[in-house]
Amino acid sequence: MSGVLLWVVNPKENATSLLSLMPRIGSPKRSKFCSRLSFSPGIIAYSGAVAHPPRSSEERVYEVVLKQAALVREQRRPKEKALDFDQRIEGSDGMTNRDLLNEAYDRCGEVCAEYAKTFYLGTLLMTPERRRAVWAIYVWCRRTDELVDGPNASYITPKALDRWEKRLTDLFEGRPYDMYDAALSDTVTKYPVDIQPFKDMVEGMRLDLRKSRYQNFDELYLYCYYVAGTVGLMSVPVMGIAPESKASTETVYNAALALGIANQLTNILRDVGEDARRGRIYLPQDELAQAGLSDDDIFRGKVTDKWQSFMKGQIKRARMFFDEAEKGVAELNSASRWPVWASLLLYRQILDAIEANGYDNFTKRAYVGKAKKLVSLPIAYGRAIIGPSKLTEQLVAR
C-alpha cells in the first residue's frame, strides 16, 4: 500500500491504471530511442538502508539522508552522458535523440497532469528544466507503485522486482529501456540525484509482497520511508534550496523525509477498511494491543470508544510529522514552494476529514472536497512567497 508522489501527492487518487506505462518485466521491448542501447540481466543487492538490523529504523534512514545531503552540497553529477543527442535516428524522419528526449519529457508531463492535477499546475511555476525533471521522477515512482498496487499486481514476483531494480541501475548508467526511462536517465545527469532512494522504494514494493503486519512503529516507519519518504530525497535536488535559506542541507532533507512519512501515515489511516478487506493491517500491532484492540476488531470494522481513542493518537503522530515537514518546505527554492505547499495543505486535511467522519475509516473514505481545495491554493501561494527565515519563525512560534 504505497503512496508515492513528490513529497505528498498520492498516485492512487485516480483509479485509472497506467497500462501504457507499465514496465515490461520480462524481456523489455526497447523503443527507437533505445534501439542502440544495450542492457543485461542481473539482480541488484537489497537496500543499503537495512544493512545493520540492530540499529533503529530512524538511525538507518538517517544515514541515507546524510548521504543525499552531502551529494547536494557537492553538486556531484555524472561526468558524461550516454547518448549523442544530436545523432539522427534511422527511420525516424530526421528526428534526433534530443527530439525524442523532449517528447519523452512531454509524455511525463501529460501523465503528471492526468494523475496529479493540482501538483502539475504548481510545477508550471518552476523553471522548464526543473519541472521536466520533476515529471520524470513522478512517472518512475508511479510505475514502480503500480507494480504492486496496479491491475497486474497479482502477477508480480520478487524476481520481477529484481529485474525492475536492474532496469533502474541501467537507466542511471545511461541505458534506458524506453522513453520514460530515458527522461529520468537524462534527469539524473543534470542533478545530484542518487540511486539509493530509488532502490529503497523498490525494497518497499518487496515488503508489500511478503509482509502484511507491522509489529511496532519502528517497523512501520521504515516501510513509510521506503514507499514515500524516499520521494522527498529524490526530489529535493531538483526542487532546490533557496539561496537565502539559513537551514542546513540535512535539515531540509529531514523535512522532506518527514513529509513523506506524514503522507504515508495519512494513507494508512484513511485506508484502514480498504486494506483490511485485502487482509492487510498497516498499524503497529503493539499499539493496537495497548489500546485493547486486535486484528479481529479491525476486520469487524466497528467504531468503538477504544477505536476512536486509538485513532486520535495515530492522527496526532501524523500531524507531528506534517509540522516538521512544513519547516523544510519554507526553505525550498521560491519557484518550487507552491506545488509542495498546495499538496501538503490538501493532504493534511485528509486527517481532518477522518475526524469529521467520526473516525470511521472502515466504511467511509476521507477526502478533501473541491471547495476546500480551491480555498487551500491561495493559502499555499501566500506561504510560498514568504521568505524562508520569516516563515520558519512563524511556524516555530505557533
Side-chain angles (χ1 to χ4, degrees), residues 171-361:
L171 76 83
F172 260 80
E173 293 176 353
R175 299 189 298 276
Y177 287 29
D178 63 18
M179 253 189 175
Y180 300 103
D181 284 355
L184 182 58
S185 186
D186 180 63
T187 290
V188 301
T189 69
K190 296 176 177 177
Y191 297 93
V193 179
D194 187 54
I195 196 173
Q196 191 61 55
F198 293 83
K199 294 175 67 175
D200 285 345
M201 181 174 284
V202 178
E203 181 65 14
M205 304 304 111
R206 291 191 181 101
L207 277 180
D208 266 331
L209 290 185
R210 67 175 186 261
K211 195 175 179 70
S212 61
R213 300 291 188 280
Y214 292 83
Q215 294 305 311
N216 49 52
F217 184 69
D218 188 67
E219 287 189 6
L220 187 62
Y221 176 90
L222 188 60
Y223 172 74
C224 289
Y225 158 70
Y226 281 146
V227 300
T230 48
V231 187
L233 305 190
M234 297 173 192
S235 55
V236 167
V238 175
M239 296 285 188
I241 299 175
E244 67 272 23
S245 173
K246 297 179 181 178
S248 68
T249 308
E250 289 84 353
T251 297
V252 178
Y253 266 97
N254 271 328
L257 172 64
L259 191 47
I261 301 295
N263 178 50
Q264 188 60 24
L265 290 176
T266 301
N267 287 342
I268 288 169
L269 298 180
R270 180 195 61 195
D271 298 339
V272 168
E274 177 185 326
D275 291 327
R277 288 187 284 275
R278 300 165 57 202
R280 295 180 173 275
I281 297 176
Y282 293 90
L283 298 167
Q285 292 286 306
D286 60 346
E287 294 179 20
L288 281 171
Q290 290 168 12
L293 297 165
S294 66
D295 289 359
D296 289 339
D297 292 304
I298 294 176
F299 292 134
R300 279 193 291 267
K302 186 176 180 180
V303 178
T304 63
D305 291 342
K306 288 182 179 180
W307 177 252
Q308 289 181 333
S309 178
F310 173 78
M311 281 300 301
K312 289 177 182 178
Q314 300 300 308
I315 289 175
K316 180 179 179 180
R317 172 189 281 151
R319 283 178 172 148
M320 288 174 61
F321 279 101
F322 275 123
D323 288 343
E324 186 63 29
E326 288 189 9
K327 302 172 187 176
V329 182
E331 307 299 333
L332 291 175
N333 184 282
S334 59
S336 302
R337 289 180 211 141
W338 190 38
V340 180
W341 268 122
S343 302
L344 186 156
L345 294 178
L346 291 172
Y347 220 77
R348 184 169 187 158
Q349 290 179 62
I350 293 174
L351 299 176
D352 301 333
I354 294 174
E355 292 175 331
N357 287 341
Y359 304 98
D360 182 2
N361 42 7

